[in-house]
Amino acid sequence: MGSNETTAPTNFIRHIIDADIAAGKNGGRVATRFPPEPNGYLHIGHAKSICLNFGLARDYQGTCNLRFDDTNPHKENQEFVSAIQDDVRWLGFGWGDKVYYASDYFDQLYRFAVELIEKGLAYVCDLSAEETRAYRGTLTEPGRESPYRSRSVAENLDLFQRMRAGEFPDGARVLRARIDMASPNINLRDPTLYRIRHGVVHHQTGAEWCIYPMYDFTHPISDALEGITHSICTLEFEDHRPLYDWVLDNISVPCHPQQIEFSRLNLQFAVMSKRKLTQLVDEGFVEGWNDPRMPTIAGMRRRGYPPAAVREFCDRIGITKADNTVEMSLLENTVRDDLNVHAPRRMAVLHPLKVVIENYPEGQAEELPAANHPQDPALGERSIPFCREIYIDAEDFREEAPAKFKRLVAGGEVRLRYAYVIRCDQVIKNAQGEVIELRCSYDPDTLGVNPEGRKIKGVIHWVSAQHGAEAEVRLYDRLFSVANPDGAAAKEGKDYKEFINPDSLRTLTACMLEPALAGAQSGELFQFEREGYFCLDPAQGAGGKPIWNRTVTLRDSWTKIEQQGG
RNA sequence: UGGGGCGUCGCCAAGUGGUAAGGCAACGGGUUUUGAUCCCGUCAUACCCAGGUUCGAGUCCUGGCGCCCCAGCCA
């Protein structure tokens, strides 16, 4: 196998493909597909599948089709079709100029159904949905055969044609495969192949059809028609594989793709089912599918996760058949690894506390050079204005210093990043006793050099009060307050939504940014030194202020020290 | 009690009979004008359990145990 660049780590599916190639199967060809149903936005679990399928095509010089599994118009729409394409492209994968739709095969699917009927392998069944369920039996008892199971081929052909012609109402009849009502595998107990759906406009085929094929019938045929070699899906379809093979074994298709199943991704502090994500959106628990707290691809994009980091994450988690729940720290660390290398550094004060440097001349200002990246000179530098009044973060000042606290304390000194060492001479408080301003003095001999005879242990960030730009900053935390919302809900007999973290979004409306941030473009990412990585949101906040989303925090060893009573 | 899967470090995960990779987390230490980054070190006599085969088993066999999925005219 192999290619020059990014080759994903090996896994059991690659072993299968390697063996197939060695055996000369499919003429050594590898063709996969990513088959989303356009009934919602893609999430990080889909990203895992996308990276797997498109990654296989990339590494084996094969192909991967983007194919919409659009057989249930009731739940699907064009907005989702478009969003899915945006998301796959954003992740970094392409598909030439052809997007595939299962609905492109509706005519052929119909003819294959007729073929099955002609072979006596499918029949029109008049049982209601409830009756069908009752006839199906249970997990431990076999089902009973439908009274319509022995209709003649001619009658079945006539009825199926009339189903298509719209002669029967919804639910009146279905087309079923005639397999085995006693099979221990419930999927083989004469599964439904076609159902009647009047009055829904399909986003691709409009009102052309009033019967729609089921997944189990559509999927294997779509794969075969596209010459897919390896049809990769998640574990819950393992029980469907005998049906997948049955369909292909009994109709005249050009090839028989191999279905392979892997386990889906579970992520701590998140829910991953489309039903639940849809609910969070529809019921207003989040601002939309692209809310930065959502585990959707659109949400991660808005949050500022680089696509390369998401791809790297998918490589790091691997592909197996074992149930798994990945820790959020793995995702966050993957994002940090990418951002640390690529994000230019800036200074921003989130909780401004005014500092007046009394021995700095009023009306004076100077431009101080600052590296855009401390380890990568190629990113260049910008200059930062310094003057008599600045803001520092309220968290960087304490009247009394806890042990190991190395920021500014009353009477103490601290280094202003890329500027001077200052000393806090006086603390000004309001009537409530809250610190509202600091009067300091600076040491003019400390620009770029350490003072003689004393060690300055702390460095803090700051922004010029005169030159800084105001901004809104949104701090995101995990959407759920427990690692496993579904598990907690089941255990405590509650709804998973009761575990939504009330502090998953904290909005700071009076932040101060260094001037270099003023011209940033929507989507641009920076590290706000000592705070984290932030991404400019496309929207504007109150008063037209820019909104900066916190992508991820920096790793923080201080809070731990502080909590240990340090 | 039917069928299909899965069980290797806190979380992922290599391993394909020859004597337990790697990543994340954690914990020590060093560098540092980001308590960041970076660097160094520690971290499974042990692979769900019990027997067995073998010179040798996480890998093979037998029997248990645990967890996940399946009874949509959803995908």
Side-chain angles (χ1 to χ4, degrees):
Chain A
M1 62 151 156
S3 70
N4 33 5
E5 53 176 72
T6 49
T7 296
T10 194
N11 56 54
F12 80 97
I13 294 177
R14 285 171 186 259
H15 292 327
I16 291 172
I17 292 175
D18 290 340
D20 287 346
I21 290 173
K25 194 174 169 184
N26 304 309
R29 200 169 50 87
V30 173
T32 59
R33 100 269 90 114
F34 172 63
E37 182 188 12
N39 66 343
Y41 277 58
L42 265 22
H43 55 63
I44 190 154
H46 293 107
K48 177 180 180 182
S49 177
I50 292 166
C51 290
L52 207 212
N53 281 294
F54 282 94
L56 251 15
R58 174 197 63 213
D59 295 341
Y60 287 91
Q61 289 85 49
T63 56
C64 178
N65 296 343
L66 171 63
R67 181 173 73 226
F68 289 99
D69 226 326
D70 55 347
T71 58
N72 187 4
H74 200 72
K75 294 182 173 177
E76 302 157 4
N77 63 238
Q78 185 59 43
E79 180 203 343
F80 295 140
V81 169
S82 303
I84 288 169
Q85 294 187 53
D86 291 345
D87 289 346
V88 175
R89 245 187 305 254
W90 175 80
L91 243 196
F93 298 101
W95 49 82
D97 52 6
K98 174 122 176 90
V99 173
Y100 296 77
Y101 293 86
S103 54
D104 289 340
Y105 312 128
F106 280 175
D107 280 310
Q108 293 171 84
L109 256 4
Y110 181 85
R111 290 200 292 275
F112 283 122
V114 168
E115 180 180 350
L116 244 26
I117 293 172
E118 288 170 338
K119 288 177 174 171
L121 293 173
Y123 63 98
V124 173
C125 181
D126 301 0
L127 253 27
S128 68
E130 302 74 57
E131 291 168 326
T132 302
R133 192 186 321 125
Y135 271 78
R136 188 154 33 228
T138 69
L139 295 179
T140 51
E141 302 157 20
R144 286 139 51 214
E145 296 187 348
S146 162
Y148 306 97
R149 198 175 200 262
S150 50
R151 288 218 251 233
S152 70
V153 168
E155 185 183 7
N156 282 134
L157 250 14
D158 174 62
L159 253 16
F160 187 50
Q161 181 276 125
R162 289 165 61 194
M163 276 171 63
R164 178 187 188 174
E167 289 190 26
F168 314 117
D170 286 10
R173 300 181 214 267
V174 295
L175 182 74
R176 290 228 253 168
R178 190 207 307 271
I179 306 180
D180 178 10
M181 288 308 291
S183 172
N185 181 345
I186 291 189
N187 296 117
L188 261 21
R189 318 240 264 230
D190 289 12
T192 299
L193 265 23
Y194 267 90
R195 75 285 214 187
I196 300 171
R197 284 282 180 278
H198 285 289
V200 277
V201 176
H202 188 285
H203 49 98
Q204 301 302 318
T205 61
E208 189 184 346
W209 294 84
C210 65
I211 57 172
Y212 289 94
M214 301 284 288
Y215 167 86
D216 284 315
F217 182 64
T218 308
H219 209 84
I221 296 174
S222 301
D223 284 344
L225 259 17
E226 292 173 17
I228 300 302
T229 56
H230 303 269
S231 178
I232 301 165
C233 61
T234 41
L235 243 36
E236 67 271 25
F237 292 102
E238 208 153 20
D239 289 339
H240 295 240
R241 194 169 63 224
L243 180 50
Y244 182 100
D245 291 330
W246 183 92
V247 169
L248 296 181
D249 286 340
N250 288 293
I251 58 176
S252 314
V253 283
C255 62
H256 189 138
Q258 177 184 8
Q259 176 177 308
I260 303 170
E261 310 84 11
F262 70 100
S263 55
R264 51 196 312 163
L265 167 67
N266 295 294
L267 226 205
Q268 285 191 339
F269 301 101
V271 292
M272 215 69 93
S273 91
K274 261 195 211 170
R275 195 197 113 243
K276 287 173 183 148
L277 294 175
T278 301
Q279 211 169 37
L280 292 174
V281 172
D282 290 349
E283 296 177 16
F285 289 96
V286 294
E287 287 176 16
W289 284 98
N290 69 342
D291 187 298
R293 292 165 293 180
M294 290 282 272
T296 52
I297 293 179
M300 294 189 287
R301 173 167 62 228
R302 187 151 176 217
R303 176 87 171 243
Y305 286 11
V310 178
R311 278 185 251 121
E312 172 64 19
F313 171 74
C314 290
D315 282 347
R316 290 187 188 184
I317 60 178
I319 300 291
T320 67
K321 297 185 72 160
D323 288 338
N324 62 88
T325 302
V326 174
E327 291 179 342
M328 195 58 103
S329 64
L330 179 61
L331 211 209
E332 292 179 340
N333 197 270
T334 308
V335 171
R336 285 191 193 104
D337 282 351
D338 184 290
L339 262 20
N340 174 49
V341 174
H342 298 110
R345 264 110 251 228
R346 292 290 183 268
M347 292 202 286
V349 174
L350 270 30
H351 311 93
L353 171 60
K354 181 175 265 187
V355 169
V356 177
I357 301 164
E358 295 184 297
N359 62 338
Y360 196 89
E362 230 161 310
Q364 183 176 316
E366 61 187 303
E367 293 287 330
L368 304 174
N372 284 332
H373 189 118
Q375 281 83 230
D376 186 1
L379 260 51
E381 60 180 40
R382 83 285 188 190
S383 71
I384 308 171
F386 180 80
C387 62
R388 192 167 192 267
E389 297 192 354
I390 63 171
Y391 289 109
I392 65 169
D393 198 287
E395 310 239 312
D396 286 335
F397 172 77
R398 297 284 162 81
E399 279 195 271
E400 283 167 49
K404 294 182 183 169
F405 186 79
K406 53 184 201 186
R407 283 114 94 164
L408 188 61
V409 294
E413 284 187 303
V414 77
R415 156 80 61 185
L416 293 177
R417 177 78 158 151
Y418 292 124
Y420 305 92
V421 170
I422 58 170
R423 177 191 0 264
C424 176
D425 301 316
Q426 186 189 165
V427 178
I428 298 175
K429 299 178 184 176
N430 62 15
Q432 287 76 244
E434 297 162 343
V435 176
I436 55 168
E437 184 179 314
L438 264 24
R439 311 296 284 198
C440 299
S441 53
Y442 84 115
D443 180 342
D445 298 326
T446 54
L447 188 60
V449 290
N450 286 128
E452 297 284 326
R454 64 207 140 109
K455 183 81 179 166
I456 306 300
K457 43 192 189 314
V459 180
I460 64 173
H461 56 98
W462 55 278
V463 168
S464 159
Q466 259 101 81
H467 312 264
E470 286 189 67
E472 174 175 327
V473 168
R474 296 184 178 172
L475 304 178
Y476 298 100
D477 200 351
R478 32 202 60 160
L479 222 204
F480 290 91
S481 50
V482 294
N484 181 358
D486 290 324
K491 189 178 177 186
E492 298 180 32
K494 293 181 176 174
D495 187 90
Y496 73 97
K497 293 193 291 298
E498 293 184 55
F499 296 97
I500 288 177
N501 176 8
D503 300 317
S504 61
L505 167 61
R506 276 192 299 145
T507 302
L508 276 51
T509 55
C511 304
M512 292 297 290
L513 315 180
E514 67 164 272
L517 247 12
Q521 301 297 302
S522 155
E524 260 196 283
L525 270 153
F526 296 90
Q527 181 195 103
F528 291 176
E529 292 203 34
R530 304 210 307 127
E531 293 290 357
Y533 296 94
F534 293 78
C535 177
L536 183 58
D537 196 83
Q540 286 197 325
K545 285 186 207 170
I547 297 171
W548 288 85
N549 295 312
R550 184 171 69 192
T551 305
V552 64
T553 61
L554 254 27
R555 270 181 62 196
D556 170 26
S557 56
W558 164 243
T559 49
K560 187 171 53 192
I561 295 169
E562 191 179 29
Q563 281 164 190
Q564 288 168 353

